[in-house]
C-alpha cells in the first residue's frame, strides 16, 4: 500500500487547512488510520486517529476542539481538518495505517502500531 498525503501549506495563525491522505494499492476499508507530526529535532508525535469503523476517534490534547479526523470510504481517503492553527502546529504531518485490518475497533495512538506511512506534507503557520 502507498499513502499520499497532501493539503499542507503556509497559513497565518488562526487559519485552517484540510489534509488528505489517499491510499493506493489497498483500500482504507477495515483499517484504522492516524495522523502524526514531526518538527525538526523532535520525535514524531501523535495528532489524531480514527478506528477502522470510523465510529471512534482520539486526539492529542493540544489539538482537541481544533482538529477533526474523518474518513471517506468512497474516495478511499482520510482527512484531517485543522482549524484555529497556531505557530506551534508547524510540522511535517504524516498519515499512517496499521498492517492488519479489523481487530479491536479503536483508535491507535502509538507510532509502533502503524506499519504504512505517507511521505508527509509540510504545514507552516505564521504568527
Amino acid at each position: 500500500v502507498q499513502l499520499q498525503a497532501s493539503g499542507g501549506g503556509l497559513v497565518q495563525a488562526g487559519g485552517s487547512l484540510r489534509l488528505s491522505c489517499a491510499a493506493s494499492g489497498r483500500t482504507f476499508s477495515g483499517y484504522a488510520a492516524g495522523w502524526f507530526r514531526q518538527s525538526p529535532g523532535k520525535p514524531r508525535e501523535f495528532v489524531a486517529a480514527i478506528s477502522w469503523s470510523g465510529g471512534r476517534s482520539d486526539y492529542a490534547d493540544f489539538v482537541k476542539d481544533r482538529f477533526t479526523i474523518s474518513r471517506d470510504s468512497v474516495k478511499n481517503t482520510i482527512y484531517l481538518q485543522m482549524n484555529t492553527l497556531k505557530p506551534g502546529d508547524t510540522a511535517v504531518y504524516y498519515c499512517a495505517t496499521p498492517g492488519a485490518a479489523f481487530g479491536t475497533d479503536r483508535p491507535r495512538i502509538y507510532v509502533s502500531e502503524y506499519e504504512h506511512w505517507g511521505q508527509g506534507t509540510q504545514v507552516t503557520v505564521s504568527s
Side-chain angles (χ1 to χ4, degrees):
V1 60
Q2 290 187 330
L3 304 180
Q4 180 71 39
S6 62
L10 174 64
V11 64
Q12 289 187 332
S16 298
L17 285 172
R18 187 177 78 159
L19 306 184
S20 300
C21 179
S24 59
R26 192 196 74 188
T27 177
F28 267 125
S29 179
Y31 290 84
W35 287 95
F36 291 74
R37 70 187 188 185
Q38 189 167 18
S39 302
K42 295 184 178 180
R44 192 165 297 188
E45 64 180 354
F46 167 71
V47 175
I50 191 166
S51 65
W52 62 259
S53 74
R56 298 177 63 188
S57 58
D58 199 0
Y59 299 88
D61 286 343
F62 53 78
V63 303
K64 282 181 178 177
D65 299 325
R66 298 191 298 126
F67 292 9
T68 303
I69 189 171
S70 61
R71 60 193 307 152
D72 186 326
S73 59
V74 174
K75 295 183 178 180
N76 205 30
T77 301
I78 303 293
Y79 299 101
L80 183 68
Q81 177 66 43
M82 306 187 296
N83 298 328
T84 319
L85 283 161
K86 305 175 181 180
D89 294 320
T90 295
V92 177
Y93 284 71
Y94 298 90
C95 58
T97 64
F102 300 106
T104 304
D105 190 31
R106 63 173 176 84
R108 300 165 192 264
I109 66 172
Y110 300 104
V111 170
S112 60
E113 297 184 282
Y114 291 88
E115 181 172 333
H116 304 290
W117 294 83
Q119 85 289 357
T121 184
Q122 176 71 47
V123 172
T124 303
V125 185
S126 63
S127 58

